[in-house]
Amino acid sequence: MEISVGQWILILFLLVVPLLYECSTTFKYFCKMAFYNSYILFLAVVVIPICAVRGRNVENMKIIRLMMLHVKYLYGIKIDVRGTENFNIKEPYVVVSNHQSSLDLLGLMEVLPDRCVPIAKKELMYMGTVGLACWLGGIIFINRKKTDDAISVMSEAAQTMLREDVRLWVFPEGTRNHSGSMLPFKRGAFHLAMQAQVPVIPVVISSYQDFYSKKERRFTTGRCTVQVLPPVPTKGLSTDDVPALTDRVRQAMLVAFEGLSVELGAPQ
């Protein structure tokens, strides 16, 4: 029986790919990231018809969260959670969290409170099935390139929080940070909390350096910790107090981040 060229190519592919996956950390990194992104797209396809029954509704985030919780097991990532009792507040609040990579989605979904939606860059809305799933989940999109639009959306979000009893999750660094520390915080989330006179709840996700590094093209199994810090009140604060509030929250988060890094043995 003769083997065609196509069959030889398939045989070589089946032999070489597993070998590369086991021997090359770079190849393994790209394979894992490709699967991660593709799987998120697939989950979005699954969740869209379920969420579409309600239409755009913050309650759909419960469905999206449920669909995402198992992903960490596929990658052998153990997530320890601390301080979730700090979410036990009856009034709305603003959650601020550090932002390291797309893997933050796993930590976010692990502790996401009820009636809480992230604020995301507008570009995400146009990412096919993921964008549609996010829209159905009530995620608020802002155009970071147009300051006036962003301020308008934030002002409207403050009113929505109070009117509909919604919590908001914001990444105040404004972009992913792979440095193993924290970038300076933008003040939008803190203006939002001050305007609505609601608490700020900091959430710290520990460094991924133990198992993930974009620079080194490394993605193995490992563990991280998500720590919810005590609420920081904003009642009585004004616009003039926002810079000090921002610095105070960032410093508390940085101390917690560095403490977790030492605890997990991640390089600083």
Side-chain angles (χ1 to χ4, degrees):
M1 178 181 177
E2 293 187 2
I3 299 178
S4 67
V5 174
Q7 289 173 321
W8 273 116
I9 293 174
L10 178 60
I11 291 171
L12 286 173
F13 178 82
L14 293 175
L15 290 173
V16 171
V17 169
L19 187 63
L20 281 173
Y21 187 84
E22 291 300 325
C23 297
S24 171
T25 56
T26 299
F27 186 77
K28 180 180 289 188
Y29 167 85
F30 282 112
C31 284
K32 284 192 167 186
M33 290 308 299
F35 178 79
Y36 178 78
N37 293 321
S38 300
Y39 194 59
I40 297 300
L41 288 170
F42 168 73
L43 291 177
V45 172
V46 174
V47 86
I48 284 171
I50 303 172
C51 292
V53 174
R54 280 200 189 104
R56 178 171 166 81
N57 192 312
V58 65
E59 291 295 328
N60 282 330
M61 285 305 299
K62 291 180 180 178
I63 300 171
I64 295 172
R65 177 176 183 261
L66 182 64
M67 295 293 289
M68 285 291 303
L69 284 175
H70 71 282
V71 176
K72 61 181 180 290
Y73 299 117
L74 300 178
Y75 284 87
I77 298 173
K78 179 177 173 55
I79 301 178
D80 297 318
V81 176
R82 302 174 185 173
T84 52
E85 66 276 3
N86 290 313
F87 282 142
N88 296 332
I89 301 176
K90 293 182 179 180
E91 64 181 317
Y93 47 80
V94 175
V95 180
V96 293
S97 175
N98 56 313
H99 194 14
Q100 300 178 75
S101 80
S102 59
L103 297 183
D104 293 338
L105 187 60
L106 303 182
L108 184 155
M109 292 300 174
E110 194 73 16
V111 299
L112 188 72
D114 288 344
R115 299 194 62 75
C116 182
V117 295
I119 290 181
K121 59 183 181 181
K122 196 171 184 178
E123 292 86 342
L124 181 62
M125 188 167 60
Y126 304 111
M127 292 181 62
T129 56
V130 170
L132 180 54
C134 290
W135 182 84
L136 287 168
I139 288 178
I140 297 172
F141 301 97
I142 60 171
N143 188 342
R144 296 181 301 179
K145 297 178 182 177
K146 294 185 178 180
T147 304
D148 291 342
D149 288 352
I151 292 174
S152 176
V153 170
M154 285 293 206
S155 178
E156 184 179 337
Q159 297 173 29
T160 301
M161 288 179 66
L162 299 174
R163 185 176 63 250
E164 301 180 15
D165 189 30
V166 172
R167 288 86 174 147
L168 297 178
W169 188 299
V170 186
F171 295 103
E173 290 171 282
T175 188
R176 296 171 187 174
N177 174 28
H178 302 282
S179 70
S181 184
M182 287 187 196
L183 297 173
F185 283 3
K186 298 181 184 299
R187 295 174 182 169
F190 303 94
H191 276 288
L192 170 63
M194 180 277 301
Q195 185 176 343
Q197 293 287 283
V198 298
V200 174
I201 299 185
V203 172
V204 179
I205 303 175
S206 66
S207 173
Y208 301 145
Q209 294 296 316
D210 172 52
F211 61 91
Y212 173 88
S213 172
K214 182 178 181 181
K215 183 179 179 181
E216 298 174 9
R217 301 289 190 264
R218 174 172 50 81
F219 193 174
T220 62
T221 59
R223 66 189 182 102
C224 71
T225 300
V226 181
Q227 183 170 354
V228 184
L229 302 183
V232 179
T234 65
K235 285 185 179 179
L237 300 186
S238 66
T239 303
D240 293 338
D241 299 309
V242 169
L245 173 66
T246 305
D247 292 342
R248 176 186 170 192
V249 171
R250 183 181 182 275
Q251 185 58 34
M253 291 176 66
L254 190 58
V255 168
F257 181 83
E258 291 174 347
L260 292 173
S261 296
V262 171
E263 183 180 323
L264 294 172
Q268 300 182 65

